[in-house]
Amino acid sequence: MRELASPTPVVVLVSGSGTLLQALIDASADPAYGVRIAAVGADRDGIAGLDRARRAGIPTFVCRVADFPSRADWDTALAAHLDAYAPAFVVSAGFMKLLGPEALARHTVVNTHPALLPAFPGAHAVRDALTYGVAVTGTTCHLVDAGVDTGPIIDQHAVRVEPGDTEETLHERIKVVERQMLVDIVGR
């Protein structure tokens, strides 16, 4: 019988409910997946994503921008938190802060976005797609760079806009596809 290699350590960054994180927690429960979530970091306290990590026995940390005199100081502190867990890469799973040059220089970061980039970058992608009137939108997995959703694209999956879709209904359908795509990409 062949021995499984040690799982690849990743750190996951979250800002909210942690549904993308939960998909990764569920996938990493299978030793054949080959990934271990070494820690979960957040930019704020009291969020469901941190609760999910704690229930799964995953170490957590919080690094709030407001706790530092400058954004650069926050970026350096975040990079140090990430360094402490020696991840092969970092997963931004609904993390709603732009990473700075220190964190990006020291870590490869994978992110998902609820649109087919380069269309509709930024925090309101689903609303923007509906406002524009597209028939198809979707989700993108990309590497994070210094821009806003401008890094190299790893994969994309389309989601059709249905008659009567609201921002919420469309976003929920995108999230289903986004979770599976992220699990697949991180596992590879």
Side-chain angles (χ1 to χ4, degrees):
M1 183 171 185
R2 190 173 69 98
E3 187 175 319
L4 290 174
S6 295
T8 301
V10 300
V11 172
V12 180
L13 298 175
V14 297
S15 289
S17 66
T19 58
L20 288 167
L21 167 64
Q22 189 64 57
L24 292 170
I25 290 170
D26 294 347
S28 64
D30 179 355
Y33 183 60
V35 172
R36 174 180 60 84
I37 302 172
V40 172
D43 62 330
R44 56 196 182 120
D45 295 304
I47 60 170
L50 290 173
D51 294 337
R52 290 176 190 271
R54 291 177 186 128
R55 281 193 302 273
I58 300 168
T60 64
F61 64 87
V62 175
C63 190
R64 296 175 351 119
V65 173
D67 293 339
F68 298 91
S70 71
R71 191 70 183 234
D73 291 330
W74 171 78
D75 181 46
T76 299
L78 179 62
H81 277 293
L82 297 172
D83 291 347
Y85 295 97
F89 59 94
V90 175
V91 179
S92 174
F95 190 64
M96 299 304 291
K97 294 287 185 277
L98 295 176
L99 300 175
E102 191 68 29
L104 293 175
R106 290 157 61 173
H107 298 281
T108 298
V109 182
V110 173
N111 183 49
T112 61
H113 181 74
L116 297 174
L117 293 173
F120 312 115
H124 304 288
V126 178
R127 181 190 70 198
D128 294 346
L130 281 172
T131 299
Y132 194 80
V134 298
V136 175
T137 187
T139 183
T140 301
C141 186
H142 65 96
L143 295 177
V144 176
D145 65 9
V148 176
D149 299 320
T150 57
I153 293 171
I154 300 168
D155 199 2
Q156 294 182 306
H157 292 271
V159 174
R160 181 160 297 286
V161 178
E162 300 295 338
D165 259 339
T166 65
E167 184 177 346
E168 294 75 26
T169 59
L170 179 57
H171 202 177
E172 284 306 313
R173 283 202 327 283
I174 291 170
K175 286 179 184 178
V176 170
V177 175
E178 188 176 36
R179 286 189 286 267
Q180 186 57 54
M181 179 181 62
L182 184 62
V183 166
D184 291 344
I185 295 294
V186 170
R188 283 192 264 153

Short mmCIF file of all heavy atoms in Angstrom, two decimals, residues 13-45:
data_model
loop_
_atom_site.label_atom_id
_atom_site.label_comp_id
_atom_site.label_asym_id
_atom_site.label_seq_id
_atom_site.Cartn_x
_atom_site.Cartn_y
_atom_site.Cartn_z
N LEU A 13 -8.04 32.88 4.81
CA LEU A 13 -8.45 34.18 5.34
C LEU A 13 -9.94 34.39 5.07
O LEU A 13 -10.41 34.14 3.96
CB LEU A 13 -7.64 35.31 4.69
CG LEU A 13 -6.14 35.27 4.93
CD1 LEU A 13 -5.45 36.37 4.12
CD2 LEU A 13 -5.81 35.40 6.41
N VAL A 14 -10.67 34.84 6.11
CA VAL A 14 -12.12 35.04 6.01
C VAL A 14 -12.52 36.38 6.61
O VAL A 14 -11.79 36.94 7.44
CB VAL A 14 -12.89 33.90 6.71
CG1 VAL A 14 -12.63 32.56 6.05
CG2 VAL A 14 -12.56 33.83 8.19
N SER A 15 -13.69 36.86 6.22
CA SER A 15 -14.26 38.09 6.79
C SER A 15 -15.70 37.92 7.23
O SER A 15 -16.26 38.82 7.82
CB SER A 15 -14.21 39.23 5.77
OG SER A 15 -12.91 39.67 5.55
N GLY A 16 -16.32 36.79 6.92
CA GLY A 16 -17.75 36.66 7.20
C GLY A 16 -18.18 35.28 7.61
O GLY A 16 -17.60 34.65 8.48
N SER A 17 -19.19 34.77 6.90
CA SER A 17 -19.85 33.53 7.31
C SER A 17 -19.00 32.28 7.14
O SER A 17 -19.22 31.28 7.80
CB SER A 17 -21.17 33.37 6.55
OG SER A 17 -20.91 33.18 5.17
N GLY A 18 -18.07 32.31 6.20
CA GLY A 18 -17.15 31.18 6.05
C GLY A 18 -17.70 29.99 5.29
O GLY A 18 -17.27 28.86 5.51
N THR A 19 -18.62 30.22 4.35
CA THR A 19 -19.13 29.07 3.59
C THR A 19 -18.07 28.49 2.65
O THR A 19 -18.02 27.27 2.46
CB THR A 19 -20.40 29.43 2.80
OG1 THR A 19 -20.12 30.52 1.91
CG2 THR A 19 -21.55 29.81 3.74
N LEU A 20 -17.22 29.34 2.09
CA LEU A 20 -16.10 28.82 1.30
C LEU A 20 -15.14 28.05 2.19
O LEU A 20 -14.65 26.97 1.81
CB LEU A 20 -15.36 29.96 0.59
CG LEU A 20 -16.06 30.62 -0.58
CD1 LEU A 20 -15.35 31.91 -0.97
CD2 LEU A 20 -16.14 29.69 -1.76
N LEU A 21 -14.86 28.59 3.37
CA LEU A 21 -14.01 27.90 4.34
C LEU A 21 -14.60 26.54 4.68
O LEU A 21 -13.87 25.54 4.73
CB LEU A 21 -13.86 28.75 5.61
CG LEU A 21 -13.26 28.04 6.82
CD1 LEU A 21 -11.83 27.61 6.56
CD2 LEU A 21 -13.37 28.92 8.05
N GLN A 22 -15.90 26.47 4.92
CA GLN A 22 -16.53 25.20 5.29
C GLN A 22 -16.35 24.16 4.19
O GLN A 22 -16.10 22.99 4.49
CB GLN A 22 -18.01 25.38 5.60
CG GLN A 22 -18.65 24.12 6.19
CD GLN A 22 -18.06 23.76 7.54
OE1 GLN A 22 -18.06 24.56 8.46
NE2 GLN A 22 -17.53 22.54 7.67
N ALA A 23 -16.45 24.58 2.95
CA ALA A 23 -16.22 23.64 1.84
C ALA A 23 -14.81 23.08 1.90
O ALA A 23 -14.58 21.88 1.68
CB ALA A 23 -16.49 24.33 0.50
N LEU A 24 -13.83 23.92 2.23
CA LEU A 24 -12.44 23.46 2.35
C LEU A 24 -12.24 22.58 3.58
O LEU A 24 -11.50 21.59 3.53
CB LEU A 24 -11.48 24.66 2.39
CG LEU A 24 -11.38 25.46 1.10
CD1 LEU A 24 -10.59 26.74 1.33
CD2 LEU A 24 -10.73 24.61 0.00
N ILE A 25 -12.90 22.92 4.70
CA ILE A 25 -12.83 22.08 5.90
C ILE A 25 -13.38 20.70 5.58
O ILE A 25 -12.77 19.68 5.92
CB ILE A 25 -13.61 22.73 7.07
CG1 ILE A 25 -12.88 23.98 7.58
CG2 ILE A 25 -13.83 21.73 8.20
CD1 ILE A 25 -13.69 24.81 8.58
N ASP A 26 -14.53 20.65 4.93
CA ASP A 26 -15.15 19.36 4.59
C ASP A 26 -14.24 18.55 3.67
O ASP A 26 -14.04 17.35 3.88
CB ASP A 26 -16.50 19.58 3.93
CG ASP A 26 -17.54 20.19 4.87
OD1 ASP A 26 -17.31 20.22 6.11
OD2 ASP A 26 -18.58 20.66 4.36
N ALA A 27 -13.67 19.19 2.65
CA ALA A 27 -12.79 18.48 1.71
C ALA A 27 -11.53 17.99 2.41
O ALA A 27 -11.08 16.85 2.17
CB ALA A 27 -12.43 19.39 0.54
N SER A 28 -10.97 18.80 3.28
CA SER A 28 -9.70 18.42 3.93
C SER A 28 -9.87 17.35 4.99
O SER A 28 -8.87 16.79 5.46
CB SER A 28 -9.00 19.65 4.51
OG SER A 28 -9.76 20.22 5.55
N ALA A 29 -11.09 17.02 5.33
CA ALA A 29 -11.33 15.92 6.27
C ALA A 29 -10.94 14.58 5.64
O ALA A 29 -10.65 13.61 6.36
CB ALA A 29 -12.80 15.89 6.70
N ASP A 30 -10.90 14.52 4.32
CA ASP A 30 -10.49 13.31 3.60
C ASP A 30 -8.97 13.37 3.40
O ASP A 30 -8.48 14.26 2.70
CB ASP A 30 -11.19 13.25 2.25
CG ASP A 30 -10.81 12.04 1.42
OD1 ASP A 30 -9.91 11.26 1.83
OD2 ASP A 30 -11.40 11.88 0.34
N PRO A 31 -8.20 12.44 4.01
CA PRO A 31 -6.75 12.47 3.84
C PRO A 31 -6.29 12.45 2.39
O PRO A 31 -5.24 12.98 2.05
CB PRO A 31 -6.28 11.22 4.58
CG PRO A 31 -7.39 10.86 5.51
CD PRO A 31 -8.66 11.34 4.85
N ALA A 32 -7.08 11.88 1.50
CA ALA A 32 -6.71 11.83 0.09
C ALA A 32 -6.77 13.20 -0.57
O ALA A 32 -6.18 13.39 -1.63
CB ALA A 32 -7.64 10.86 -0.65
N TYR A 33 -7.44 14.16 0.04
CA TYR A 33 -7.52 15.51 -0.52
C TYR A 33 -6.14 16.15 -0.57
O TYR A 33 -5.84 16.90 -1.49
CB TYR A 33 -8.51 16.35 0.30
CG TYR A 33 -8.74 17.74 -0.23
CD1 TYR A 33 -9.26 17.96 -1.51
CD2 TYR A 33 -8.46 18.85 0.55
CE1 TYR A 33 -9.48 19.24 -2.00
CE2 TYR A 33 -8.69 20.14 0.08
CZ TYR A 33 -9.20 20.33 -1.19
OH TYR A 33 -9.40 21.60 -1.65
N GLY A 34 -5.32 15.87 0.42
CA GLY A 34 -3.93 16.32 0.38
C GLY A 34 -3.67 17.73 0.86
O GLY A 34 -2.59 18.28 0.66
N VAL A 35 -4.66 18.35 1.50
CA VAL A 35 -4.51 19.71 2.01
C VAL A 35 -4.90 19.73 3.48
O VAL A 35 -5.88 19.11 3.88
CB VAL A 35 -5.41 20.70 1.21
CG1 VAL A 35 -5.41 22.08 1.85
CG2 VAL A 35 -4.95 20.76 -0.24
N ARG A 36 -4.12 20.49 4.26
CA ARG A 36 -4.41 20.68 5.68
C ARG A 36 -4.55 22.18 5.92
O ARG A 36 -3.67 22.96 5.54
CB ARG A 36 -3.27 20.13 6.54
CG ARG A 36 -3.40 20.41 8.03
CD ARG A 36 -2.23 19.82 8.81
NE ARG A 36 -0.94 20.36 8.43
CZ ARG A 36 -0.42 21.51 8.90
NH1 ARG A 36 -1.08 22.24 9.76
NH2 ARG A 36 0.78 21.91 8.49
N ILE A 37 -5.65 22.58 6.54
CA ILE A 37 -5.82 23.99 6.88
C ILE A 37 -5.04 24.22 8.18
O ILE A 37 -5.43 23.78 9.25
CB ILE A 37 -7.29 24.37 7.03
CG1 ILE A 37 -8.04 24.08 5.73
CG2 ILE A 37 -7.43 25.85 7.43
CD1 ILE A 37 -9.55 24.23 5.83
N ALA A 38 -3.90 24.90 8.05
CA ALA A 38 -3.01 25.12 9.19
C ALA A 38 -3.56 26.17 10.14
O ALA A 38 -3.33 26.11 11.34
CB ALA A 38 -1.62 25.55 8.69
N ALA A 39 -4.30 27.14 9.60
CA ALA A 39 -4.91 28.19 10.42
C ALA A 39 -5.93 28.94 9.59
O ALA A 39 -5.91 28.90 8.36
CB ALA A 39 -3.85 29.16 10.93
N VAL A 40 -6.80 29.64 10.31
CA VAL A 40 -7.78 30.53 9.69
C VAL A 40 -7.58 31.90 10.31
O VAL A 40 -7.58 32.04 11.54
CB VAL A 40 -9.22 30.03 9.89
CG1 VAL A 40 -10.23 31.07 9.41
CG2 VAL A 40 -9.43 28.71 9.17
N GLY A 41 -7.40 32.90 9.46
CA GLY A 41 -7.24 34.27 9.92
C GLY A 41 -8.41 35.12 9.48
O GLY A 41 -9.04 34.85 8.46
N ALA A 42 -8.69 36.16 10.27
CA ALA A 42 -9.79 37.06 9.95
C ALA A 42 -9.38 38.50 10.20
O ALA A 42 -8.43 38.76 10.94
CB ALA A 42 -11.02 36.71 10.80
N ASP A 43 -10.12 39.41 9.61
CA ASP A 43 -9.89 40.84 9.79
C ASP A 43 -10.81 41.43 10.85
O ASP A 43 -10.79 42.63 11.08
CB ASP A 43 -10.02 41.58 8.46
CG ASP A 43 -11.42 41.45 7.87
OD1 ASP A 43 -12.08 40.41 8.11
OD2 ASP A 43 -11.85 42.37 7.16
N ARG A 44 -11.63 40.59 11.47
CA ARG A 44 -12.52 41.06 12.53
C ARG A 44 -12.94 39.89 13.43
O ARG A 44 -12.92 38.73 13.00
CB ARG A 44 -13.73 41.79 11.97
CG ARG A 44 -14.52 41.00 10.97
CD ARG A 44 -15.46 41.92 10.18
NE ARG A 44 -16.26 41.14 9.27
CZ ARG A 44 -17.58 41.09 9.28
NH1 ARG A 44 -18.25 41.79 10.17
NH2 ARG A 44 -18.22 40.37 8.41
N ASP A 45 -13.30 40.23 14.66
CA ASP A 45 -13.76 39.24 15.63
C ASP A 45 -15.24 38.93 15.43
O ASP A 45 -15.95 39.65 14.74
CB ASP A 45 -13.60 39.80 17.06
CG ASP A 45 -12.17 40.02 17.44
OD1 ASP A 45 -11.39 39.07 17.37
OD2 ASP A 45 -11.84 41.16 17.82
#
